[in-house]
Amino acid sequence: MTLRAAVLGLLLLSASPVGGQERSDHADSSMLAWTEAVADALVSRLPEGVDGARIRYEGGRGVDSRKVSSVFRAHLQSALKGRIPTLSRGPEVAVSVSLEGARIWAVGLVQTDPEAAFAVSWPVDRELEALLGAAKSSSGSARWRLERIGTVPAGVLDVALLDLDDDGSDDIALLGVDGVRTYRFDAGDARPTPLGGPFALPTRPWPRTIAGRLAADGDGLVAATTAGHYLSIDPRRGTVRVRESVVPAVQPHDPAWPDWIPARWVLGGPDLRPVADATLLPEEGVRDLQHFPGSEDAWVWVDAGGDLGGGDARVGSAAFEGSEAVGDRLLLVELEGAGRPELVTTGAAPFGEPDQVTIHRLEGTPPRLSVLFRSTFAGTIRALAAGDLDFDGRADLVLVEEDASDEAVLWRLERAR
């Protein structure tokens, strides 16, 4: 049994509260705030009159053990300074650090009679990821940079990027089951900063929302959900109004086409039927589609069965050679700077099981796929969008990962220089 499992078992048996509450004493540093909370919990578990402790450190899932033994140890010892006179004598305290979904945990066992346990978690942001996180397993990682940028409330349905403060870089808008939230994330930030929201969705007779679409439309946003919402949102004023019953299908940048193409929900599910002329598409509808930039009438889509397809009015439609089943979302976006877009897809795993994001190069007719980058995630990728977060003029991908917890994780993926 692992230390973390043993500690959590002791906490449940003793009905002890989980130590450490989230505090704002160190608002600019999540590492300082978290280790302060861990120090509070550790000290509260020491027997009265004890003036020392011998702490043993252990790295668990998702963290680098060497960073735990150096960076985390130094911060925790600093937080304990003045509270425990010595760290060379007294009861042994075993502390294990692990990264679980959207939170980082420190669980400890004070080896006294009886034993005392504590567990302190904290939302993961880019600071904690950089200071303690293990290198993420991926293929093509030498040419691509993937980083966790923070956490947001769970229940995300879609994400869009647009410049809300006219500073030249994009901000993040999230459509969730309870409304729309907006965030700023600049290149040097440790975590996204809330800008506004949640801007509540109007009440519907059947309120259960299982899927939704969000897209930038000029200076605002357009959205739709399977609960029957069709909305325009002004994130600067925080206003939401009902609009025509069409769903925005996100499109890559192409001067010859509008920024989004209207499409309709099919049977209240995630399948789309485009309003625009797209006679090449499967009759049963598609999960997602994008017009291929630079062409007159070429499309790429995910069909109702999760298979990739594509077609052009001149040559007809065809399945992609060598492709495997993919998830509900895809993006066509130029990431390598070669003047031709790459195809980004998610995996086809059920919610709660490990998911993946893959960047493909598209070649030939009928189209063939070759993998440029692939990374696996512990949770489900609920949404993805492309924009420019760091003023470098190149596309960044923002991914939203969720599991069964109360928080979702935001990731940024970009081509390394």
Side-chain angles (χ1 to χ4, degrees):
M1 179 181 291
T2 65
L3 172 61
R4 182 175 185 273
V7 169
L8 294 181
L10 280 173
L11 288 170
L12 291 172
L13 288 172
S14 62
S16 299
V18 174
Q21 299 299 313
E22 295 183 15
R23 297 163 42 162
S24 58
D25 303 27
H26 304 286
D28 294 333
S29 172
S30 52
M31 173 62 85
L32 291 176
W34 176 53
T35 50
E36 187 83 17
V38 175
D40 288 345
L42 191 158
V43 170
S44 72
R45 295 299 191 268
L46 292 176
E48 188 174 350
V50 169
D51 62 354
R54 294 171 293 125
I55 304 175
R56 175 167 54 87
Y57 298 88
E58 175 185 313
R61 182 166 60 183
V63 300
D64 188 322
S65 296
R66 294 169 299 177
K67 295 178 180 178
V68 172
S69 298
S70 57
V71 179
F72 175 76
R73 176 180 180 177
H75 280 83
L76 183 57
Q77 288 183 343
S78 177
L80 290 169
K81 191 175 294 183
R83 304 194 212 181
I84 301 177
T86 178
L87 296 176
S88 60
R89 66 173 184 267
E92 184 172 284
V93 181
V95 179
S96 175
V97 175
S98 63
L99 200 159
E100 309 285 345
R103 301 185 77 83
I104 193 164
W105 285 82
V107 298
L109 189 63
V110 182
Q111 296 178 0
T112 52
D113 188 15
E115 293 179 325
F118 62 88
V120 183
S121 71
W122 208 263
V124 177
D125 59 12
R126 187 162 68 163
E127 179 190 8
L128 287 169
E129 172 80 8
L131 290 176
L132 297 175
K136 191 167 180 60
S137 174
S138 58
S139 58
S141 57
R143 303 173 61 192
W144 302 88
R145 182 182 299 111
L146 177 65
E147 62 178 353
R148 186 190 312 252
I149 62 177
T151 58
V152 294
V156 175
L157 303 175
D158 205 0
V159 59
L161 303 184
L162 73 165
D163 186 1
L164 292 173
D165 49 15
D166 302 318
D167 66 351
S169 72
D170 287 327
D171 303 299
I172 302 170
L174 298 171
L175 172 64
V177 294
D178 61 345
V180 174
R181 292 175 169 84
T182 57
Y183 296 84
R184 175 187 292 114
F185 181 77
D186 294 329
D189 292 348
R191 66 195 66 86
T193 303
L195 287 176
F199 309 125
L201 305 180
T203 301
R204 300 291 301 173
W206 185 66
R208 182 167 183 258
T209 298
I210 60 172
R213 296 284 168 142
L214 183 69
D217 182 24
D219 293 332
L221 297 158
V222 287
T225 77
T226 49
H229 298 108
Y230 302 96
L231 308 168
S232 290
I233 301 107
D234 185 337
R236 293 174 174 83
R237 295 185 175 88
T239 57
V240 178
R241 64 180 179 84
V242 177
R243 58 171 292 126
E244 297 177 5
S245 57
V246 294
V247 178
V250 180
Q251 293 298 301
H253 176 70
D254 187 346
W257 280 80
D259 290 335
W260 58 277
I261 295 175
R264 299 188 187 280
W265 290 111
V266 175
L267 301 177
D271 294 346
L272 302 171
R273 288 191 184 280
V275 175
D277 182 24
T279 56
L280 293 170
L281 298 183
E283 292 183 1
E284 65 271 21
V286 295
R287 294 297 180 100
D288 206 354
L289 77 157
Q290 294 214 340
H291 175 259
F292 201 94
S295 65
E296 293 184 4
D297 194 14
W299 302 81
V300 177
W301 60 78
V302 181
D303 69 20
D307 294 320
L308 286 171
D312 189 294
R314 295 168 296 176
V315 297
S317 60
F320 279 31
E321 293 183 0
S323 66
E324 54 193 20
V326 299
D328 291 341
R329 300 298 172 90
L330 59 82
L331 281 178
L332 280 171
V333 54
E334 185 179 342
L335 297 168
E336 288 207 302
R340 184 177 178 86
E342 284 73 46
L343 175 65
V344 185
T345 63
T346 60
F351 180 75
E353 296 186 10
D355 203 352
Q356 64 182 16
V357 167
T358 305
I359 300 175
H360 311 263
R361 179 182 286 128
L362 292 171
E363 299 174 302
T365 303
R368 299 184 304 275
L369 300 178
S370 58
V371 175
L372 296 173
F373 173 87
R374 174 172 288 162
S375 187
T376 300
F377 297 79
T380 300
I381 301 300
R382 298 300 300 268
L384 65 163
D388 184 5
L389 296 179
D390 51 9
F391 300 96
D392 66 357
R394 299 185 305 165
D396 301 293
L397 296 180
V398 170
L399 316 172
V400 184
E401 177 194 5
E402 283 199 22
D403 54 19
S405 67
D406 295 333
E407 291 165 303
V409 182
L410 297 183
W411 296 84
R412 181 174 70 167
L413 175 58
E414 64 178 348
R415 178 72 159 79
R417 293 182 179 227

